[in-house]
PDB file of all heavy atoms in Angstrom:
ATOM      1  N   LEU A  37      76.602 -15.356 171.891  1.00  0.00           N
ATOM      2  CA  LEU A  37      75.975 -14.921 173.143  1.00  0.00           C
ATOM      3  C   LEU A  37      75.363 -13.526 173.021  1.00  0.00           C
ATOM      4  O   LEU A  37      74.342 -13.239 173.632  1.00  0.00           O
ATOM      5  CB  LEU A  37      76.983 -14.944 174.290  1.00  0.00           C
ATOM      6  CG  LEU A  37      77.462 -16.324 174.734  1.00  0.00           C
ATOM      7  CD1 LEU A  37      78.563 -16.185 175.786  1.00  0.00           C
ATOM      8  CD2 LEU A  37      76.316 -17.179 175.257  1.00  0.00           C
ATOM      9  N   GLU A  38      75.979 -12.673 172.228  1.00  0.00           N
ATOM     10  CA  GLU A  38      75.501 -11.289 172.101  1.00  0.00           C
ATOM     11  C   GLU A  38      74.421 -11.114 171.037  1.00  0.00           C
ATOM     12  O   GLU A  38      73.590 -10.215 171.157  1.00  0.00           O
ATOM     13  CB  GLU A  38      76.672 -10.362 171.804  1.00  0.00           C
ATOM     14  CG  GLU A  38      77.643 -10.259 172.975  1.00  0.00           C
ATOM     15  CD  GLU A  38      78.870  -9.419 172.675  1.00  0.00           C
ATOM     16  OE1 GLU A  38      79.076  -9.013 171.505  1.00  0.00           O
ATOM     17  OE2 GLU A  38      79.648  -9.172 173.619  1.00  0.00           O
ATOM     18  N   LYS A  39      74.413 -11.977 170.006  1.00  0.00           N
ATOM     19  CA  LYS A  39      73.537 -11.711 168.854  1.00  0.00           C
ATOM     20  C   LYS A  39      72.641 -12.871 168.419  1.00  0.00           C
ATOM     21  O   LYS A  39      71.677 -12.655 167.704  1.00  0.00           O
ATOM     22  CB  LYS A  39      74.385 -11.318 167.627  1.00  0.00           C
ATOM     23  CG  LYS A  39      75.366 -10.204 167.847  1.00  0.00           C
ATOM     24  CD  LYS A  39      74.712  -8.871 167.768  1.00  0.00           C
ATOM     25  CE  LYS A  39      75.793  -7.795 167.827  1.00  0.00           C
ATOM     26  NZ  LYS A  39      75.297  -6.516 168.156  1.00  0.00           N
ATOM     27  N   GLU A  40      72.968 -14.118 168.805  1.00  0.00           N
ATOM     28  CA  GLU A  40      72.269 -15.261 168.227  1.00  0.00           C
ATOM     29  C   GLU A  40      71.532 -16.141 169.226  1.00  0.00           C
ATOM     30  O   GLU A  40      70.908 -17.127 168.837  1.00  0.00           O
ATOM     31  CB  GLU A  40      73.251 -16.120 167.424  1.00  0.00           C
ATOM     32  CG  GLU A  40      73.853 -15.396 166.245  1.00  0.00           C
ATOM     33  CD  GLU A  40      74.877 -16.228 165.497  1.00  0.00           C
ATOM     34  OE1 GLU A  40      74.995 -17.443 165.754  1.00  0.00           O
ATOM     35  OE2 GLU A  40      75.582 -15.651 164.652  1.00  0.00           O
ATOM     36  N   VAL A  41      71.602 -15.814 170.506  1.00  0.00           N
ATOM     37  CA  VAL A  41      70.941 -16.646 171.506  1.00  0.00           C
ATOM     38  C   VAL A  41      69.432 -16.627 171.275  1.00  0.00           C
ATOM     39  O   VAL A  41      68.834 -15.564 171.124  1.00  0.00           O
ATOM     40  CB  VAL A  41      71.266 -16.161 172.934  1.00  0.00           C
ATOM     41  CG1 VAL A  41      70.305 -16.761 173.948  1.00  0.00           C
ATOM     42  CG2 VAL A  41      72.696 -16.515 173.303  1.00  0.00           C
ATOM     43  N   GLU A  42      68.830 -17.802 171.214  1.00  0.00           N
ATOM     44  CA  GLU A  42      67.370 -17.936 171.198  1.00  0.00           C
ATOM     45  C   GLU A  42      66.947 -18.560 172.528  1.00  0.00           C
ATOM     46  O   GLU A  42      66.379 -17.898 173.370  1.00  0.00           O
ATOM     47  CB  GLU A  42      66.914 -18.741 169.981  1.00  0.00           C
ATOM     48  CG  GLU A  42      67.132 -17.951 168.686  1.00  0.00           C
ATOM     49  CD  GLU A  42      66.645 -18.673 167.461  1.00  0.00           C
ATOM     50  OE1 GLU A  42      65.417 -18.848 167.335  1.00  0.00           O
ATOM     51  OE2 GLU A  42      67.493 -19.074 166.633  1.00  0.00           O
ATOM     52  N   ASP A  43      67.242 -19.845 172.705  1.00  0.00           N
ATOM     53  CA  ASP A  43      67.052 -20.512 173.994  1.00  0.00           C
ATOM     54  C   ASP A  43      68.420 -21.021 174.418  1.00  0.00           C
ATOM     55  O   ASP A  43      68.993 -21.882 173.754  1.00  0.00           O
ATOM     56  CB  ASP A  43      66.075 -21.687 173.866  1.00  0.00           C
ATOM     57  CG  ASP A  43      64.658 -21.238 173.586  1.00  0.00           C
ATOM     58  OD1 ASP A  43      64.288 -20.120 173.979  1.00  0.00           O
ATOM     59  OD2 ASP A  43      63.909 -22.015 172.967  1.00  0.00           O
ATOM     60  N   TYR A  44      68.942 -20.490 175.504  1.00  0.00           N
ATOM     61  CA  TYR A  44      70.260 -20.903 175.980  1.00  0.00           C
ATOM     62  C   TYR A  44      70.148 -21.132 177.482  1.00  0.00           C
ATOM     63  O   TYR A  44      69.465 -20.376 178.186  1.00  0.00           O
ATOM     64  CB  TYR A  44      71.331 -19.845 175.670  1.00  0.00           C
ATOM     65  CG  TYR A  44      72.724 -20.428 175.631  1.00  0.00           C
ATOM     66  CD1 TYR A  44      73.132 -21.235 174.586  1.00  0.00           C
ATOM     67  CD2 TYR A  44      73.622 -20.205 176.653  1.00  0.00           C
ATOM     68  CE1 TYR A  44      74.399 -21.795 174.548  1.00  0.00           C
ATOM     69  CE2 TYR A  44      74.898 -20.751 176.642  1.00  0.00           C
ATOM     70  CZ  TYR A  44      75.271 -21.551 175.579  1.00  0.00           C
ATOM     71  OH  TYR A  44      76.523 -22.117 175.552  1.00  0.00           O
ATOM     72  N   TYR A  45      70.814 -22.184 177.951  1.00  0.00           N
ATOM     73  CA  TYR A  45      70.674 -22.622 179.333  1.00  0.00           C
ATOM     74  C   TYR A  45      72.041 -22.815 179.978  1.00  0.00           C
ATOM     75  O   TYR A  45      73.018 -23.132 179.301  1.00  0.00           O
ATOM     76  CB  TYR A  45      69.902 -23.941 179.397  1.00  0.00           C
ATOM     77  CG  TYR A  45      68.536 -23.833 178.778  1.00  0.00           C
ATOM     78  CD1 TYR A  45      68.312 -24.172 177.452  1.00  0.00           C
ATOM     79  CD2 TYR A  45      67.452 -23.354 179.526  1.00  0.00           C
ATOM     80  CE1 TYR A  45      67.055 -24.055 176.876  1.00  0.00           C
ATOM     81  CE2 TYR A  45      66.195 -23.229 178.961  1.00  0.00           C
ATOM     82  CZ  TYR A  45      66.003 -23.578 177.634  1.00  0.00           C
ATOM     83  OH  TYR A  45      64.764 -23.444 177.075  1.00  0.00           O
ATOM     84  N   VAL A  46      72.066 -22.663 181.294  1.00  0.00           N
ATOM     85  CA  VAL A  46      73.263 -22.982 182.060  1.00  0.00           C
ATOM     86  C   VAL A  46      72.910 -24.030 183.108  1.00  0.00           C
ATOM     87  O   VAL A  46      71.785 -24.064 183.606  1.00  0.00           O
ATOM     88  CB  VAL A  46      73.895 -21.740 182.729  1.00  0.00           C
ATOM     89  CG1 VAL A  46      74.343 -20.737 181.696  1.00  0.00           C
ATOM     90  CG2 VAL A  46      72.957 -21.097 183.713  1.00  0.00           C
ATOM     91  N   ALA A  47      73.866 -24.889 183.385  1.00  0.00           N
ATOM     92  CA  ALA A  47      73.738 -25.875 184.465  1.00  0.00           C
ATOM     93  C   ALA A  47      74.587 -25.372 185.618  1.00  0.00           C
ATOM     94  O   ALA A  47      75.748 -25.001 185.423  1.00  0.00           O
ATOM     95  CB  ALA A  47      74.222 -27.248 183.994  1.00  0.00           C
ATOM     96  N   GLU A  48      73.990 -25.344 186.793  1.00  0.00           N
ATOM     97  CA  GLU A  48      74.683 -24.864 187.984  1.00  0.00           C
ATOM     98  C   GLU A  48      74.693 -25.939 189.060  1.00  0.00           C
ATOM     99  O   GLU A  48      73.761 -26.724 189.159  1.00  0.00           O
ATOM    100  CB  GLU A  48      73.956 -23.650 188.586  1.00  0.00           C
ATOM    101  CG  GLU A  48      74.125 -22.369 187.845  1.00  0.00           C
ATOM    102  CD  GLU A  48      73.468 -21.209 188.577  1.00  0.00           C
ATOM    103  OE1 GLU A  48      72.425 -21.389 189.236  1.00  0.00           O
ATOM    104  OE2 GLU A  48      74.016 -20.112 188.478  1.00  0.00           O
ATOM    105  N   GLU A  49      75.756 -25.908 189.847  1.00  0.00           N
ATOM    106  CA  GLU A  49      75.824 -26.740 191.050  1.00  0.00           C
ATOM    107  C   GLU A  49      76.386 -25.869 192.158  1.00  0.00           C
ATOM    108  O   GLU A  49      77.481 -25.306 191.999  1.00  0.00           O
ATOM    109  CB  GLU A  49      76.704 -27.967 190.813  1.00  0.00           C
ATOM    110  CG  GLU A  49      76.708 -28.902 192.005  1.00  0.00           C
ATOM    111  CD  GLU A  49      77.442 -30.192 191.705  1.00  0.00           C
ATOM    112  OE1 GLU A  49      76.834 -31.092 191.101  1.00  0.00           O
ATOM    113  OE2 GLU A  49      78.629 -30.268 192.081  1.00  0.00           O
ATOM    114  N   ASN A  50      75.653 -25.731 193.225  1.00  0.00           N
ATOM    115  CA  ASN A  50      76.067 -24.892 194.362  1.00  0.00           C
ATOM    116  C   ASN A  50      76.448 -23.478 193.921  1.00  0.00           C
ATOM    117  O   ASN A  50      77.452 -22.923 194.373  1.00  0.00           O
ATOM    118  CB  ASN A  50      77.223 -25.544 195.128  1.00  0.00           C
ATOM    119  CG  ASN A  50      76.842 -26.884 195.688  1.00  0.00           C
ATOM    120  OD1 ASN A  50      75.728 -27.074 196.171  1.00  0.00           O
ATOM    121  ND2 ASN A  50      77.755 -27.845 195.617  1.00  0.00           N
ATOM    122  N   GLY A  51      75.675 -22.919 192.980  1.00  0.00           N
ATOM    123  CA  GLY A  51      75.904 -21.561 192.506  1.00  0.00           C
ATOM    124  C   GLY A  51      77.021 -21.396 191.499  1.00  0.00           C
ATOM    125  O   GLY A  51      77.297 -20.282 191.051  1.00  0.00           O
ATOM    126  N   THR A  52      77.681 -22.496 191.121  1.00  0.00           N
ATOM    127  CA  THR A  52      78.765 -22.444 190.137  1.00  0.00           C
ATOM    128  C   THR A  52      78.262 -22.976 188.806  1.00  0.00           C
ATOM    129  O   THR A  52      77.652 -24.054 188.755  1.00  0.00           O
ATOM    130  CB  THR A  52      79.964 -23.298 190.611  1.00  0.00           C
ATOM    131  OG1 THR A  52      80.425 -22.772 191.856  1.00  0.00           O
ATOM    132  CG2 THR A  52      81.092 -23.291 189.598  1.00  0.00           C
ATOM    133  N   ILE A  53      78.524 -22.240 187.732  1.00  0.00           N
ATOM    134  CA  ILE A  53      78.135 -22.697 186.399  1.00  0.00           C
ATOM    135  C   ILE A  53      79.084 -23.813 185.976  1.00  0.00           C
ATOM    136  O   ILE A  53      80.302 -23.620 185.925  1.00  0.00           O
ATOM    137  CB  ILE A  53      78.137 -21.541 185.380  1.00  0.00           C
ATOM    138  CG1 ILE A  53      77.045 -20.534 185.747  1.00  0.00           C
ATOM    139  CG2 ILE A  53      77.930 -22.086 183.958  1.00  0.00           C
ATOM    140  CD1 ILE A  53      77.004 -19.289 184.878  1.00  0.00           C
ATOM    141  N   ILE A  54      78.512 -24.984 185.686  1.00  0.00           N
ATOM    142  CA  ILE A  54      79.334 -26.148 185.320  1.00  0.00           C
ATOM    143  C   ILE A  54      79.065 -26.615 183.895  1.00  0.00           C
ATOM    144  O   ILE A  54      79.724 -27.518 183.403  1.00  0.00           O
ATOM    145  CB  ILE A  54      79.116 -27.308 186.311  1.00  0.00           C
ATOM    146  CG1 ILE A  54      77.645 -27.721 186.366  1.00  0.00           C
ATOM    147  CG2 ILE A  54      79.637 -26.920 187.686  1.00  0.00           C
ATOM    148  CD1 ILE A  54      77.382 -28.971 187.183  1.00  0.00           C
ATOM    149  N   GLY A  55      78.097 -25.980 183.227  1.00  0.00           N
ATOM    150  CA  GLY A  55      77.806 -26.346 181.849  1.00  0.00           C
ATOM    151  C   GLY A  55      76.856 -25.356 181.220  1.00  0.00           C
ATOM    152  O   GLY A  55      76.214 -24.562 181.912  1.00  0.00           O
ATOM    153  N   CYS A  56      76.784 -25.420 179.892  1.00  0.00           N
ATOM    154  CA  CYS A  56      75.856 -24.551 179.167  1.00  0.00           C
ATOM    155  C   CYS A  56      75.587 -25.166 177.795  1.00  0.00           C
ATOM    156  O   CYS A  56      76.348 -25.996 177.307  1.00  0.00           O
ATOM    157  CB  CYS A  56      76.418 -23.142 179.025  1.00  0.00           C
ATOM    158  SG  CYS A  56      78.051 -23.041 178.257  1.00  0.00           S
ATOM    159  N   GLY A  57      74.475 -24.747 177.211  1.00  0.00           N
ATOM    160  CA  GLY A  57      74.120 -25.215 175.878  1.00  0.00           C
ATOM    161  C   GLY A  57      72.828 -24.582 175.420  1.00  0.00           C
ATOM    162  O   GLY A  57      71.984 -24.216 176.241  1.00  0.00           O
ATOM    163  N   GLY A  58      72.684 -24.442 174.116  1.00  0.00           N
ATOM    164  CA  GLY A  58      71.529 -23.728 173.587  1.00  0.00           C
ATOM    165  C   GLY A  58      70.729 -24.483 172.555  1.00  0.00           C
ATOM    166  O   GLY A  58      71.053 -25.621 172.186  1.00  0.00           O
ATOM    167  N   ILE A  59      69.691 -23.795 172.117  1.00  0.00           N
ATOM    168  CA  ILE A  59      68.824 -24.262 171.028  1.00  0.00           C
ATOM    169  C   ILE A  59      68.605 -23.068 170.108  1.00  0.00           C
ATOM    170  O   ILE A  59      68.287 -21.977 170.575  1.00  0.00           O
ATOM    171  CB  ILE A  59      67.443 -24.721 171.534  1.00  0.00           C
ATOM    172  CG1 ILE A  59      67.537 -25.750 172.645  1.00  0.00           C
ATOM    173  CG2 ILE A  59      66.595 -25.242 170.366  1.00  0.00           C
ATOM    174  CD1 ILE A  59      66.214 -25.995 173.385  1.00  0.00           C
ATOM    175  N   ASN A  60      68.775 -23.292 168.820  1.00  0.00           N
ATOM    176  CA  ASN A  60      68.404 -22.301 167.821  1.00  0.00           C
ATOM    177  C   ASN A  60      67.431 -22.955 166.853  1.00  0.00           C
ATOM    178  O   ASN A  60      67.432 -24.181 166.686  1.00  0.00           O
ATOM    179  CB  ASN A  60      69.636 -21.781 167.087  1.00  0.00           C
ATOM    180  CG  ASN A  60      70.477 -20.903 167.985  1.00  0.00           C
ATOM    181  OD1 ASN A  60      71.314 -21.393 168.728  1.00  0.00           O
ATOM    182  ND2 ASN A  60      70.230 -19.606 167.947  1.00  0.00           N
ATOM    183  N   TYR A  61      66.599 -22.140 166.232  1.00  0.00           N
ATOM    184  CA  TYR A  61      65.540 -22.649 165.359  1.00  0.00           C
ATOM    185  C   TYR A  61      65.788 -22.184 163.932  1.00  0.00           C
ATOM    186  O   TYR A  61      66.078 -21.010 163.692  1.00  0.00           O
ATOM    187  CB  TYR A  61      64.172 -22.185 165.869  1.00  0.00           C
ATOM    188  CG  TYR A  61      63.945 -22.661 167.289  1.00  0.00           C
ATOM    189  CD1 TYR A  61      64.290 -21.858 168.373  1.00  0.00           C
ATOM    190  CD2 TYR A  61      63.449 -23.933 167.548  1.00  0.00           C
ATOM    191  CE1 TYR A  61      64.119 -22.306 169.676  1.00  0.00           C
ATOM    192  CE2 TYR A  61      63.282 -24.388 168.849  1.00  0.00           C
ATOM    193  CZ  TYR A  61      63.621 -23.556 169.907  1.00  0.00           C
ATOM    194  OH  TYR A  61      63.469 -24.015 171.194  1.00  0.00           O
ATOM    195  N   LEU A  62      65.686 -23.125 162.997  1.00  0.00           N
ATOM    196  CA  LEU A  62      65.979 -22.876 161.590  1.00  0.00           C
ATOM    197  C   LEU A  62      64.782 -23.297 160.741  1.00  0.00           C
ATOM    198  O   LEU A  62      63.893 -24.007 161.220  1.00  0.00           O
ATOM    199  CB  LEU A  62      67.216 -23.671 161.166  1.00  0.00           C
ATOM    200  CG  LEU A  62      68.432 -23.604 162.102  1.00  0.00           C
ATOM    201  CD1 LEU A  62      69.432 -24.683 161.755  1.00  0.00           C
ATOM    202  CD2 LEU A  62      69.064 -22.237 162.043  1.00  0.00           C
ATOM    203  N   GLU A  63      64.833 -22.909 159.478  1.00  0.00           N
ATOM    204  CA  GLU A  63      63.829 -23.344 158.494  1.00  0.00           C
ATOM    205  C   GLU A  63      62.407 -23.147 159.001  1.00  0.00           C
ATOM    206  O   GLU A  63      61.629 -24.101 159.105  1.00  0.00           O
ATOM    207  CB  GLU A  63      64.098 -24.781 158.066  1.00  0.00           C
ATOM    208  CG  GLU A  63      65.471 -24.940 157.399  1.00  0.00           C
ATOM    209  CD  GLU A  63      65.757 -26.347 156.921  1.00  0.00           C
ATOM    210  OE1 GLU A  63      64.820 -27.076 156.548  1.00  0.00           O
ATOM    211  OE2 GLU A  63      66.950 -26.714 156.914  1.00  0.00           O
ATOM    212  N   ASN A  64      62.092 -21.889 159.335  1.00  0.00           N
ATOM    213  CA  ASN A  64      60.756 -21.522 159.829  1.00  0.00           C
ATOM    214  C   ASN A  64      60.341 -22.317 161.059  1.00  0.00           C
ATOM    215  O   ASN A  64      59.177 -22.647 161.234  1.00  0.00           O
ATOM    216  CB  ASN A  64      59.710 -21.665 158.722  1.00  0.00           C
ATOM    217  CG  ASN A  64      59.952 -20.694 157.587  1.00  0.00           C
ATOM    218  OD1 ASN A  64      60.303 -19.538 157.813  1.00  0.00           O
ATOM    219  ND2 ASN A  64      59.778 -21.161 156.365  1.00  0.00           N
TER     220      ASN A  64
END
Side-chain angles (χ1 to χ4, degrees):
L37 292 174
E38 293 176 352
K39 308 279 187 198
E40 297 177 11
V41 164
E42 291 183 67
D43 291 332
Y44 203 72
Y45 302 94
V46 298
E48 285 185 326
E49 184 173 278
N50 299 321
T52 300
I53 294 176
I54 58 172
C56 55
I59 307 167
N60 289 86
Y61 302 92
L62 313 166
E63 299 182 31
N64 295 320

